[in-house]
Amino acid sequence: MLGSALVSALNGAITKILSEDISALEIVFFRNFFGVFIILYALKHTPPKLSGGKIHLLFTRGLFGFMAMILFFYTISVIPLGEAITLNKTSPFFVTILAFFLLGERLALKTLFALLIGFTGVVFIVKPFDISFSFVHVLGLLGGFFAAAAYTTIKKIKDIYDSRVIVLSFVLVGSFLPFLLFVIAPYVDVSKSFAFLFAPFVLPTNFKTIALIIFMSLIATLSQWLLTKAYSSKNLSVIGVISYTNIPFAIGFGWMLGDRFPDLLTFSGIAFIVIGGIIVSKK
């Protein structure tokens, strides 16, 4: 998990570098496009055994996953890397809330306390009284919500679909929707705040950008493999705690790339989210 956290933060840093040359929508497209071939190869090598049967939930998982990724990558390109990753780490709180309403899971008093701590941390980071500053942070928070919605959908289909088929639905939708947005982008006029969803496609030509895209795809796959290996262990509460180390890794990488160092209020918000996340993750 420590390795996964480090590689995940590095992936965020590469995304931030790439955002100087190509749009967040293109980064999402290339990230998923290469993933399609990796998953198809894995399925060809070892065919899935589960029967499936709820194709609409597969599409829903892909849609939520795409929204989470585009919002996450966009916030990385605009705000400090550490803040973007911290806001994305609010997904466990949203998972807890969605599981309560959609899956009927119990919400203990300790969990409610953890949610209160976590969202207090969000307020410290977002600083909602400065609206012009906080809009992108709100998009980052929405990214955490959509990630939670994707995770909750997985919980409903994990017993009927092979995990690789679930991932395939994500990368397929995550490739098709950006392609669709590229096609309609010239005909759509939106406000500057949402222009990132309708960015024009510009084929990368310089070696640095192409090399970084390939490297990003490889280390993102490595991060997922390390993550899967970590969650295959028995000490899940310990693993959950260690997963939050990607926040200081991200702050470090962001600082090296020129991000401002977090102020005291932001640091306090990060600490609240980590503490709340640890509490909500423990059984």
Side-chain angles (χ1 to χ4, degrees), residues 93-121:
F93 305 123
F94 289 119
V95 166
T96 302
I97 294 170
L98 290 172
F100 173 74
F101 285 106
L102 301 180
L103 304 179
E105 293 188 4
R106 191 172 62 88
L107 207 58
L109 187 63
K110 184 181 73 171
T111 307
L112 289 171
F113 177 65
L115 291 174
L116 180 63
I117 291 176
F119 285 113
T120 300

Side-chain angles (χ1 to χ4, degrees), residues 9-279:
L10 177 61
N11 197 41
I14 292 170
T15 300
K16 197 168 186 70
I17 296 170
L18 277 171
S19 68
E20 297 173 2
D21 299 317
I22 59 177
S23 68
L25 193 62
E26 275 195 65
I27 297 173
V28 171
F29 172 74
F30 285 120
R31 166 70 185 87
N32 289 314
F33 182 72
F34 288 115
V36 171
F37 295 100
I38 294 171
I39 300 300
L40 285 176
Y41 173 78
L43 288 170
K44 183 181 178 182
H45 183 273
T46 311
K49 295 180 180 179
L50 294 174
S51 59
K54 294 186 178 180
I55 194 75
H56 64 288
L57 286 179
L58 269 183
F59 175 77
T60 303
R61 184 269 181 269
L63 178 62
F64 288 152
F66 163 72
M67 290 304 300
M69 185 175 277
I70 183 61
L71 291 172
F72 179 47
F73 283 5
Y74 175 65
T75 53
I76 283 177
S77 70
V78 179
I79 65 175
L81 183 60
E83 292 181 25
I85 285 185
T86 303
L87 290 172
N88 192 257
K89 292 292 274 185
T90 58
S91 58
F93 305 123
F94 289 119
V95 166
T96 302
I97 294 170
L98 290 172
F100 173 74
F101 285 106
L102 301 180
L103 304 179
E105 293 188 4
R106 191 172 62 88
L107 207 58
L109 187 63
K110 184 181 73 171
T111 307
L112 289 171
F113 177 65
L115 291 174
L116 180 63
I117 291 176
F119 285 113
T120 300
V122 170
V123 171
F124 283 178
I125 293 175
V126 172
K127 303 177 181 70
F129 304 108
D130 184 356
I131 300 300
S132 62
F133 176 78
S134 68
F135 178 70
V136 176
H137 292 74
V138 172
L139 290 180
L141 195 59
L142 274 174
F145 170 78
F146 281 116
Y151 299 150
T152 307
T153 306
I154 290 171
K155 290 187 75 172
K156 291 186 74 71
I157 59 176
K158 65 183 177 64
D159 295 326
I160 60 172
Y161 279 107
D162 186 290
S163 61
R164 294 165 301 164
V165 175
I166 297 174
V167 174
L168 181 63
S169 70
F170 167 50
V171 292
L172 278 174
V173 173
S175 302
F176 174 72
L177 287 182
F179 174 77
L180 189 63
L181 291 170
F182 289 140
V183 171
I184 66 174
Y187 311 102
V188 176
D189 185 21
V190 293
S191 66
K192 185 179 178 181
S193 299
F194 296 100
F196 69 93
L197 286 173
F198 299 93
F201 180 80
V202 180
L203 185 67
T205 54
N206 75 64
F207 176 77
K208 178 190 126 181
T209 303
I210 295 170
L212 282 175
I213 288 171
I214 295 170
F215 185 54
M216 177 188 68
S217 299
L218 290 173
I219 67 168
T221 305
L222 173 62
S223 176
Q224 285 300 308
W225 180 77
L226 290 169
L227 188 76
T228 303
K229 294 289 286 183
Y231 275 108
S232 298
S233 70
K234 294 178 181 178
N235 300 318
L236 291 186
S237 60
V238 176
I239 295 301
V241 172
I242 295 173
S243 73
Y244 281 91
T245 56
N246 73 338
I247 294 174
F249 287 143
I251 291 172
F253 282 129
W255 179 74
M256 285 189 281
L257 291 174
D259 285 347
R260 66 180 184 277
F261 205 69
D263 57 25
L264 182 60
L265 202 60
T266 301
F267 257 128
S268 300
I270 290 170
F272 271 71
I273 288 173
V274 171
I275 292 168
I278 291 170
I279 294 172

